[in-house]
Amino acid sequence: STMWLARALPEDGYILTMEGRDTHAALGQENIDNAKLKPTVELKCGRAADILRALPEDTEPFDFIFIDADKQSYPEYLELSLSLSRSGTIIFLDNVIRAGEILNPENQKPSIVGLRDMFKAMQNHPKILSCTALQTIGSKGHDGSDVLPKTSSWDASQFDIKIFVIKKLQYNFKQETKYILKFVYNYILTYFPL
C-alpha cells in the first residue's frame, strides 16, 4: 500500500510508514529502495503508537492517514492520528467490519473489542467532522473501511500531500489502493470542493 500511495504523490510528497516486525520492515525497505520513488518514503520499525509519540513536537500535520494495523489498538491510533492531523485531514481505517462480528456481543476477541471501542470514541468526538463506514464483500471476505475528515473549515489550497501509513505488510495492494485513492479523491471533492 505504501508503494501505491507514494506513486500518487508529487515529487515533494512525504510518507511515513511503520512496520511492527523487523522482517517486514526489511522487505518493505528493500521494495522502497528498488522502486526509486520521487517522494520521500521513510520507514520506521517498531510499535506504531511508540513511533508516533516519539515524533518531534514540530512535526507538520499529515493530510492523509491510512491505518491497517492491529485492531485492538485502533482507539489509540485514532487519537494519535487526530493529534497529528489538521482540519481537513482524511483518516482511513481499514478492516473495521470484520465479517459483521463487531455487532456480535458474544465476540469478545481483543481485535473486535478494539474496533467497538474505536467506534464509540468516534461518536460525538469534537475533532471529527463526519464518518463513513463502507462494507466490502470480495475475495478477502466481508469487511469494510472507515473514512473520516477532521473537523472545522478547510482551505483546499492548504492541502499539500503528506501521508502516514500504519499497516501490516501484505503483498498485493494494487487494486485495493487504487480503490482507496479513487474513493478518497471523490470523498474530498464531495466534502471540500476545490
Side-chain angles (χ1 to χ4, degrees), residues 15-29:
I15 293 180
L16 169 61
T17 185
M18 290 158 265
E19 289 291 350
R21 295 187 180 128
D22 292 338
T23 54
H24 291 177
L27 179 60
Q29 190 63 59

Side-chain angles (χ1 to χ4, degrees), residues 3-191:
M3 304 298 283
W4 285 100
L5 291 168
R7 286 186 174 105
L9 290 177
E11 288 188 17
D12 61 346
Y14 170 79
I15 293 180
L16 169 61
T17 185
M18 290 158 265
E19 289 291 350
R21 295 187 180 128
D22 292 338
T23 54
H24 291 177
L27 179 60
Q29 190 63 59
E30 182 180 332
N31 289 334
I32 290 166
D33 294 343
N34 289 337
K36 298 182 171 110
L37 300 165
K38 297 284 185 198
T40 300
V41 179
E42 182 179 7
L43 188 148
K44 293 184 182 237
C45 186
R47 186 169 182 271
D50 297 336
I51 292 168
L52 296 174
R53 282 192 187 92
L55 292 175
E57 284 190 34
D58 62 346
T59 298
E60 288 186 43
F62 292 91
D63 297 309
F64 179 76
I65 299 169
F66 178 78
I67 303 172
D68 183 7
D70 55 304
K71 307 311 174 222
Q72 63 269 21
S73 299
Y74 268 33
E76 183 178 21
Y77 297 148
L78 174 65
E79 290 302 325
L80 288 166
S81 296
L82 289 168
S83 71
L84 291 164
S85 62
R86 66 167 141 240
S87 179
T89 293
I90 304 294
I91 301 172
F92 191 100
L93 300 110
D94 204 15
N95 306 119
V96 298
I97 304 297
R98 311 309 288 176
E101 284 299 306
I102 61 167
L103 300 176
N104 178 359
E106 310 237 337
N107 190 332
Q108 295 299 311
K109 290 181 182 174
S111 60
I112 300 298
V113 171
L115 290 171
R116 284 188 200 121
D117 291 346
M118 178 207 61
F119 278 111
K120 285 178 192 166
M122 284 188 213
Q123 290 179 336
N124 302 313
H125 196 294
K127 293 182 178 179
I128 298 174
L129 176 64
S130 68
C131 178
T132 302
L134 305 168
Q135 291 192 63
T136 58
I137 299 175
S139 62
K140 292 171 78 176
H142 173 202
D143 207 341
S145 302
D146 231 352
V147 179
L148 52 132
K150 192 167 174 187
T151 60
S152 183
S153 62
W154 180 47
D155 175 4
S157 68
Q158 297 298 313
F159 196 85
D160 56 332
I161 304 297
K162 190 175 201 190
I163 297 174
F164 81 78
V165 180
I166 301 173
K167 65 178 186 68
K168 288 192 243 180
L169 186 67
Q170 294 183 21
Y171 298 98
N172 184 2
F173 281 104
K174 182 176 181 179
Q175 292 301 328
E176 184 176 332
T177 305
K178 281 183 181 178
Y179 166 78
I180 290 167
L181 291 174
K182 184 176 181 182
F183 175 80
V184 169
Y185 175 77
N186 290 327
Y187 192 86
I188 290 168
L189 291 181
T190 300
Y191 286 95

